């Protein structure tokens, strides 16, 4: 089948890989003018890691990734007040664990399809018209085209979801936080293989050293308004200039960069992910929130399962879509429920909450306690073994 995929992120590129592998003809449509790498740091493990192994890209991901050794919480004067040995989690998860920028993961997947799949950049879908035997997709610049299926893998603020299912307000649930991330050059100090965080009530800033003399800075803060500002850098100054620690230096470094990721922390909850020949996948359908920690792994898993169910159904999209949603929805909804608990870690409301959080970080070095928390880390999902 001819399958249009809106979005060239992790979900879209992974789906294109599996669809091409199973004999379909995917076309990826991306509104950005070129493929985007980099981005905020993610931890990658679980069923998504298993799918990456089946794609044959594990070695590349490990080469690009970072084996973080510690997670440290510091005071305003830089003293470490709590630290977690990352090996506590590796003991639970085994070797299938690495940390890397989200866009680098997408770039690795993209490299597997670049010579085989049509990629259309600097283009957006403006209308979707479905017929009995296909779907007509209209674009901002190009002439309309006919496809058999349309997959919206275009993220939290999905354009396909808005066109086919309704306005964002019906499905996006704001969790009361905003987040910003940027990669800066030459920042000092550097703490290699450490995730270093500083927090005051309602605000947290973190940094992690990257290769090539780069540093990733991440800002998270509580905000009752779900709106996005016209000047995100000005908002960061308003929220963090007086916070202490290295905030003035980090803000100055961020001012010098052209690319700043800034977004709301939200979840997407929908009663149904499909409508006719259109299906939503990844964050477009069931975003667990950026702070949930496993969105990319879930996106890769969804891509594999969707392609597998289409293959198993012999191209019958109705049967495949229903089987896909029946299999994935309980898993995604459970992840969404767990993700809301992470808000207290990234944007703790009170000083007592910060004290208790630091106590919990120190306690997690105890292997017995870590094993008790294993249920929130391990994936309770039976990954199918499709013959694809």
């Amino acid at each position: 089948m001819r399958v249009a995929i809106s979005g060239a992120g992790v979900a879209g590129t992974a789906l294109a890989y599996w669809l091409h592998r199973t004999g379909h003809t995917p076309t990826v449509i991306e509104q950005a003018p070129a493929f985007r790498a980099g981005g905020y740091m993610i931890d990658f493990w679980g069923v998504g890691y298993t799918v990456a192994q089946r794609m044959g890209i594990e070695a590349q991901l490990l080469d690009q990734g970072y084996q973080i050794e510690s997670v440290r919480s510091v005071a305003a004067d830089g003293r470490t007040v709590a630290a977690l040995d990352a090996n506590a989690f590796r003991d639970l998860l085994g070797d299938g664990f690495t940390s890397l920028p989200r866009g680098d993961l997408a770039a690795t997947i993209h490299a597997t399809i670049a010579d085989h799949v049509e990629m259309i950049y600097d283009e957006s879908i403006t209308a979707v018209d479905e017929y009995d035997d296909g779907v007509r997709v209209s674009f901002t610049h190009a002439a309309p085209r006919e496809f058999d299926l349309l997959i919206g893998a275009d993220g939290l603020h999905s354009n396909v979801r808005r066109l086919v299912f309704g306005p964002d307000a019906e499905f996006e649930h704001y969790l009361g936080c905003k987040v910003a991330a940027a990669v800066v050059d030459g920042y000092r100090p550097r703490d290699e293989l450490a995730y270093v965080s500083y927090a005051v009530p309602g605000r947290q800033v973190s940094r992690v050293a990257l290769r090539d003399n780069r540093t990733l800075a991440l800002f998270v803060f509580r905000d009752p308004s779900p709106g996005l500002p016209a000047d995100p850098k000005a908002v960061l100054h308003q929220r963090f200039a007086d916070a202490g620690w290295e905030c003035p230096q980090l803000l100055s470094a961020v001012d010098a960069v052209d690319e700043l990721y800034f977004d709301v922390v939200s979840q997407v909850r929908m009663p149904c992910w499909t409508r006719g020949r259109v299906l939503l996948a990844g964050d477009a359908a069931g975003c667990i929130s950026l702070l949930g920690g496993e969105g990319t792994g879930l996106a890769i898993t969804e891509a594999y399962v969707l392609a597998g169910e289409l293959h198993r159904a012999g191209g019958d999209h109705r049967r495949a879509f229903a089987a896909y949603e029946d299999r994935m929805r309980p898993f995604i909804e459970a992840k969404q429920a767990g993700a809301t608990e992470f808000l207290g870690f990234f944007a703790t409301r009170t000083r007592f909450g910060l004290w208790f959080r630091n106590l919990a970080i120190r306690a997690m070095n105890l292997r017995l306690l870590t094993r008790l928390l294993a249920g929130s880390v391990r994936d309770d999902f039976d990954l199918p073994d499709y013959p694809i």
Side-chain angles (χ1 to χ4, degrees):
M1 293 187 291
R2 299 161 299 161
V3 184
I5 302 171
S6 178
V10 171
T13 53
L15 179 59
Y17 169 87
W18 287 108
L19 289 177
H20 177 265
R21 180 163 161 169
T22 50
H24 301 291
T25 304
T27 297
V28 180
I29 302 118
E30 169 59 47
Q31 65 178 356
F35 186 83
R36 294 178 293 187
Y40 54 89
M41 186 73 78
I42 63 165
D43 295 321
F44 187 51
W45 78 91
V47 291
Y49 193 100
T50 302
V51 175
Q53 290 175 318
R54 296 182 184 183
M55 296 173 71
I57 60 174
E58 179 186 19
Q60 297 98 302
L61 297 181
L62 291 176
D63 285 343
Q64 295 173 355
Y66 299 81
Q67 297 306 305
I68 299 297
E69 295 175 353
S70 67
V71 178
R72 302 209 315 259
S73 176
V74 300
D77 60 3
R79 290 179 299 108
T80 298
V81 294
L84 171 64
D85 182 353
N87 287 321
F89 284 104
R90 290 192 181 91
D91 289 345
L92 290 174
L93 301 171
D95 295 330
F97 181 95
T98 191
S99 301
L100 75 166
R102 189 176 200 259
D104 289 358
L105 173 57
T108 301
I109 301 172
H110 173 263
T112 67
I113 62 172
D115 297 331
H116 310 288
V117 171
E118 181 185 16
M119 307 284 295
I120 301 175
Y121 291 101
D122 197 23
E123 192 63 272
S124 294
I125 297 174
T126 58
V128 178
D129 298 294
E130 185 179 344
Y131 305 97
D132 289 342
D133 57 352
V135 57
R136 181 181 176 87
V137 178
S138 300
F139 302 99
T140 304
H141 306 109
R145 290 176 59 176
E146 304 285 339
F147 297 92
D148 296 298
L149 302 174
L150 170 61
I151 309 299
D154 42 358
L156 171 64
H157 309 293
S158 169
N159 180 46
V160 171
R161 187 182 66 228
R162 190 163 49 250
L163 290 171
V164 177
F165 294 83
D168 292 346
E170 293 185 17
F171 310 112
E172 288 189 26
H173 296 264
Y174 180 56
L175 299 184
C177 285
K178 291 187 172 71
V179 62
V183 175
V184 301
D185 292 322
Y187 184 83
R188 294 295 183 274
R190 287 173 64 88
D191 294 86
E192 304 292 343
L193 300 180
Y195 193 90
V196 183
S197 298
Y198 168 75
V200 293
R203 294 170 287 174
Q204 176 171 298
V205 59
S206 308
R207 59 171 169 79
V208 59
L210 305 178
R211 299 182 185 92
D212 301 321
N213 200 27
R214 299 172 301 147
T215 296
L216 173 69
L218 177 69
F219 302 83
V220 182
F221 61 94
R222 298 270 181 179
D223 190 335
S225 170
L228 290 173
D231 189 349
K233 290 182 180 179
V235 171
L236 291 181
H237 277 274
Q238 293 169 5
R239 295 303 182 112
F240 288 92
D242 63 348
W245 189 52
E246 300 172 11
C247 289
Q249 300 98 294
L250 285 166
L251 290 170
S252 178
V254 169
D255 284 341
V257 304
D258 294 327
E259 292 190 16
L260 172 69
Y261 172 88
F262 191 102
D263 208 349
V264 295
V265 177
S266 298
Q267 291 185 338
V268 173
R269 305 170 196 158
M270 302 183 68
C272 183
W273 298 341
T274 66
R275 181 161 294 175
R277 291 178 174 269
V278 180
L279 179 142
L280 300 177
D283 284 352
C287 177
I288 68 170
S289 87
L290 182 147
L291 302 182
E294 204 179 352
T296 49
L298 297 177
I300 291 175
T301 304
E302 291 174 61
Y304 171 74
V305 171
L306 176 55
E309 292 298 339
L310 281 168
H311 183 74
R312 179 176 285 176
D316 182 341
H317 73 276
R318 296 180 182 83
R319 185 154 64 94
F321 284 3
Y324 164 81
E325 187 161 350
D326 286 345
R327 189 180 293 275
M328 293 304 308
R329 179 177 285 278
F331 184 45
I332 298 300
E333 290 180 346
K335 289 294 183 179
Q336 286 184 321
T340 58
E341 300 175 5
F342 285 97
L343 288 178
F345 178 87
F346 287 99
T348 310
R349 293 181 183 275
T350 66
R351 293 192 179 278
F352 174 77
L354 289 172
W355 173 85
F356 186 80
R357 187 197 69 167
N358 289 335
L359 177 65
I361 290 174
R362 292 192 293 268
M364 287 174 66
N365 288 292
L366 301 174
R367 296 299 194 266
L368 176 60
L369 180 59
T370 307
R371 284 194 290 270
L372 292 175
L373 296 173
S376 62
V377 177
R378 290 176 176 162
D379 289 333
D380 183 17
F381 183 73
D382 183 16
L383 185 67
D385 188 10
Y386 298 109
I388 58 178

